[in-house]
Amino acid sequence: MKKLRRSARLVDMTQHLLAQPHTLIPLTVFAEQYGAAKSSISEDLSIIKEAFESQGVGVLTTVAGAAGGVKFIPKVKTEDALDFMKELITHLGNPERLLPGGYLYMSDILGNPITMSKIGKLFASAFADKNVEVVMTVETKGIPLAYATALYLNVPVVIVRRDNKVTEGSVVSINYVSGSSKRIQTMSLARRALPEQSRVLIVDDFMKAGGTVRGMIDLLQEFRATVIGCGVLVETADVSERLVDEYVSLAKLQEVDIKGKQIEIELGSYFQK
Amino acid sequence: MKKLRRSARLVDMTQHLLAQPHTLIPLTVFAEQYGAAKSSISEDLSIIKEAFESQGVGVLTTVAGAAGGVKFIPKVKTEDALDFMKELITHLGNPERLLPGGYLYMSDILGNPITMSKIGKLFASAFADKNVEVVMTVETKGIPLAYATALYLNVPVVIVRRDNKVTEGSVVSINYVSGSSKRIQTMSLARRALPEQSRVLIVDDFMKAGGTVRGMIDLLQEFRATVIGCGVLVETADVSERLVDEYVSLAKLQEVDIKGKQIEIELGSYFQK
């Protein structure tokens, strides 16, 4: 145990809190680590709390009592979310992104880990109070978003496979109809990959008719899970029905004019709250 | 511009530096943001530098002169890396993880974003001085490791597909022989996904005979890329040749006795430096 000055303590506590979101840390842990009185740690935490809140990093919640402590909840300010998504939408609106079938080329955006991290923080903010236990996605493109979200919620990720060649013991498979292609497809998840009755947040990059998300919801029934919500980066305007109650999109593809090479993208349902 | 006290400044600068690894930030940016003199910012940075280095968060490098600034390089202390990997190896050594074909069930470990983040930081530390421009992996299981590594290196991720059904314009495909199954397989990457002559770090979760990594190296030749290294979480001891010069494994599966339900795992080449 090394006694640290307040300035060094602030740096180290900041780093520890950021690395352990949604985790209750007893004040005694910090007090022992830095050889400081609990009252000094409390003062440090109020400095960090104010800085985090004013800079839009997130919220520090203090729980009093013997089982108490401090918890960092990542939260994005609405104005920061707006600035970020407006810039991303400009970027996405480039007509060169148009792909056959009304899809958008997004691999460059999905390949940027800092962009993914920012989007993950948006989803984690939106579902911060929902006691998410697992983030689920289907391979391949939703995976980085799922991890980024799960890192801010501090919960595990479960990845559904698009085939049934899973070699991980007993497997649950379902067939589903991909809404846009109308073809029957398979998705699978190993039994041991998800505890029964988990509270699951579904995350994906793109939602057209919603068949893939519906497939995941059906699959989750086999695990007696509760789907607490769904977050997608881009939805298309032709989604006819809401698949889950807590449904959040960050952007909405309104119109695609393939011949005229025009795309129209708006802010998604995240910003309608 | 709001004038902040040193304590609030330290919290905010810590958070900014952590969020932008491997990025040169001019001191004037901080000075303007906080309405502080550059000399005060320099003092703040030396406090942060000392705290980061003593706690094993990473290194702060200062570049002097007009184009100068400060850069945060995530680096893991060897003792912390050892503690972490020894614990992970104990966890991995559970015989119930044995899967047909000499593979290990690792989905629970690969599904834990904080574990992935720690492993990504190990790889980012190992290749911190190599001017990595892109992290590459092949779907599916290596993806979280690739993102975690790329986030600490602050570079994009490129994901190679295991088929040639990529709908993203012109595609480069190669056939390769999977070392363990001896079957011919295909991997593909869209031309627009990777700029020519990039400096690429390959990351994967598991390497048996090394056919998949070799496939990626062959594919990268089509993009005139330089493979600066390769990081794998678990290699098996039967790898007959080193595929690249800068080759780093974190763990090595020495012996698998499927009948006797025994696994023997050692520390990987990362710890032989």
Side-chain angles (χ1 to χ4, degrees):
Chain A
M1 186 180 74
K2 194 179 136 198
K3 226 172 157 89
L4 288 183
R5 290 179 50 186
R6 160 149 293 158
S7 51
R9 234 164 42 209
L10 283 170
V11 172
D12 200 53
M13 286 170 75
T14 299
Q15 172 259 320
H16 270 292
L17 289 163
L18 290 172
Q20 295 170 85
H22 285 272
T23 304
L24 191 70
I25 307 174
L27 297 203
T28 46
V29 167
F30 285 131
E32 280 168 24
Q33 189 164 353
Y34 306 124
K38 269 174 81 173
S39 58
S40 306
I41 299 294
S42 285
E43 284 170 40
D44 296 346
L45 287 170
S46 64
I47 294 168
I48 297 174
K49 182 185 168 77
E50 208 190 301
F52 275 15
E53 287 175 8
S54 76
Q55 301 291 329
V57 175
V59 174
L60 281 198
T61 320
T62 319
V63 180
V70 61
K71 201 190 266 192
F72 164 55
I73 314 285
K75 286 254 184 179
V76 182
K77 282 188 190 173
T78 309
E79 65 212 73
D80 294 343
L82 259 177
D83 287 350
F84 169 73
M85 277 310 297
K86 280 182 178 165
E87 201 186 315
L88 190 65
I89 283 174
T90 310
H91 204 40
L92 279 169
N94 183 342
E96 305 216 338
R97 293 188 177 276
L98 275 177
L99 293 173
Y103 291 90
L104 285 186
Y105 180 79
M106 302 205 292
S107 295
D108 55 337
I109 289 166
L110 297 174
N112 184 321
I114 289 189
T115 304
M116 288 302 96
S117 184
K118 287 179 179 169
I119 296 174
K121 194 172 175 189
L122 291 180
F123 287 141
S125 300
F127 297 102
D129 311 323
K130 297 288 175 187
N131 294 317
V132 176
E133 290 173 336
V134 170
V135 173
M136 177 187 260
T137 192
V138 64
E139 58 183 353
T140 302
K141 291 187 183 164
I143 297 177
L145 283 177
Y147 271 87
T149 307
L151 191 56
Y152 281 108
L153 290 171
N154 200 357
V155 297
V157 174
V158 162
I159 299 169
V160 176
R161 305 292 297 251
R162 283 195 194 272
D163 52 42
N164 51 14
K165 290 177 212 137
V166 183
T167 56
E168 298 176 340
S170 99
V171 168
V172 180
S173 292
I174 60 147
N175 294 321
Y176 68 103
V177 179
S178 163
S180 23
S181 70
K182 303 281 179 211
R183 265 178 305 189
I184 290 179
Q185 306 193 36
T186 303
M187 55 169 80
S188 315
L189 187 62
R191 194 43 94 182
R192 72 203 276 187
L194 181 66
E196 293 239 316
Q197 295 185 299
S198 298
R199 293 174 58 82
V200 178
L201 170 64
I202 295 174
V203 166
D204 213 352
D205 62 317
F206 198 84
M207 185 161 89
K208 250 191 123 183
T212 308
V213 170
R214 179 174 292 273
M216 280 191 267
I217 293 171
D218 290 347
L219 186 63
L220 281 169
Q221 284 188 348
E222 297 297 315
F223 291 83
R224 299 169 62 213
T226 305
V227 180
I228 64 94
C230 175
V232 293
L233 173 54
V234 180
E235 64 166 325
T236 58
D238 56 0
V239 177
S240 51
E241 50 175 327
R242 286 188 145 201
L243 294 160
V244 279
D245 289 338
E246 287 290 329
Y247 170 86
V248 167
S249 69
L250 298 181
K252 194 167 190 167
L253 191 56
Q254 279 293 354
E255 206 143 343
V256 175
D257 172 4
I258 294 177
K259 275 193 183 165
K261 288 237 168 201
Q262 288 281 348
I263 311 180
E264 199 189 311
I265 305 178
E266 286 180 1
L267 290 168
S269 68
Y270 181 96
F271 298 94
Q272 282 161 17
K273 291 174 302 188
Chain B
M1 185 179 77
K2 194 180 132 198
K3 228 175 155 91
L4 287 184
R5 289 178 51 186
R6 160 150 293 158
S7 51
R9 238 166 37 211
L10 283 171
V11 172
D12 201 53
M13 285 169 74
T14 299
Q15 171 260 320
H16 270 291
L17 288 163
L18 290 172
Q20 294 170 84
H22 284 273
T23 305
L24 191 70
I25 307 173
L27 297 204
T28 47
V29 167
F30 285 131
E32 281 168 24
Q33 189 164 351
Y34 305 124
K38 269 174 78 172
S39 57
S40 305
I41 299 294
S42 286
E43 283 169 40
D44 296 347
L45 287 170
S46 64
I47 293 168
I48 296 174
K49 182 186 168 77
E50 208 189 302
F52 275 14
E53 287 175 7
S54 75
Q55 301 291 328
V57 175
V59 174
L60 281 197
T61 320
T62 319
V63 181
V70 62
K71 201 189 267 192
F72 164 55
I73 315 286
K75 286 253 184 179
V76 182
K77 281 188 190 173
T78 310
E79 66 215 67
D80 293 342
L82 259 178
D83 287 347
F84 169 73
M85 277 309 297
K86 281 183 178 165
E87 200 186 316
L88 190 65
I89 283 174
T90 310
H91 203 40
L92 279 169
N94 182 341
E96 305 217 335
R97 293 189 176 275
L98 276 177
L99 293 173
Y103 291 91
L104 284 187
Y105 181 80
M106 302 205 292
S107 295
D108 56 335
I109 289 167
L110 297 173
N112 183 322
I114 289 189
T115 303
M116 288 302 95
S117 185
K118 287 179 178 169
I119 295 174
K121 194 173 175 188
L122 291 180
F123 287 141
S125 299
F127 297 102
D129 311 323
K130 297 286 175 188
N131 293 316
V132 176
E133 289 173 336
V134 171
V135 173
M136 177 186 260
T137 193
V138 65
E139 60 182 353
T140 300
K141 292 189 184 163
I143 297 176
L145 282 177
Y147 271 87
T149 307
L151 191 57
Y152 282 108
L153 291 171
N154 200 357
V155 298
V157 175
V158 162
I159 298 169
V160 176
R161 305 291 299 251
R162 284 195 193 270
D163 52 42
N164 52 13
K165 290 176 213 139
V166 184
T167 56
E168 298 175 339
S170 99
V171 168
V172 180
S173 292
I174 60 146
N175 294 321
Y176 68 103
V177 179
S178 164
S180 24
S181 71
K182 303 281 179 212
R183 266 179 305 189
I184 290 180
Q185 306 193 35
T186 303
M187 56 169 79
S188 314
L189 187 62
R191 193 45 93 181
R192 73 204 277 186
L194 181 68
E196 292 238 317
Q197 295 184 301
S198 298
R199 293 175 58 82
V200 178
L201 170 64
I202 294 174
V203 167
D204 213 351
D205 62 318
F206 199 85
M207 186 161 90
K208 249 190 121 182
T212 307
V213 170
R214 179 175 292 272
M216 280 192 266
I217 293 171
D218 290 347
L219 186 64
L220 281 169
Q221 284 188 348
E222 297 297 315
F223 291 83
R224 298 169 62 214
T226 306
V227 180
I228 65 95
C230 176
V232 293
L233 173 53
V234 180
E235 62 166 326
T236 57
D238 57 359
V239 177
S240 51
E241 51 177 324
R242 286 187 145 202
L243 295 159
V244 280
D245 289 338
E246 288 290 329
Y247 170 85
V248 167
S249 69
L250 299 182
K252 195 167 190 168
L253 189 57
Q254 280 293 356
E255 205 143 341
V256 174
D257 172 4
I258 294 178
K259 275 195 187 164
K261 288 238 168 200
Q262 287 281 349
I263 312 181
E264 198 189 311
I265 305 177
E266 286 181 1
L267 289 168
S269 68
Y270 182 96
F271 298 95
Q272 281 161 16
K273 290 177 301 191

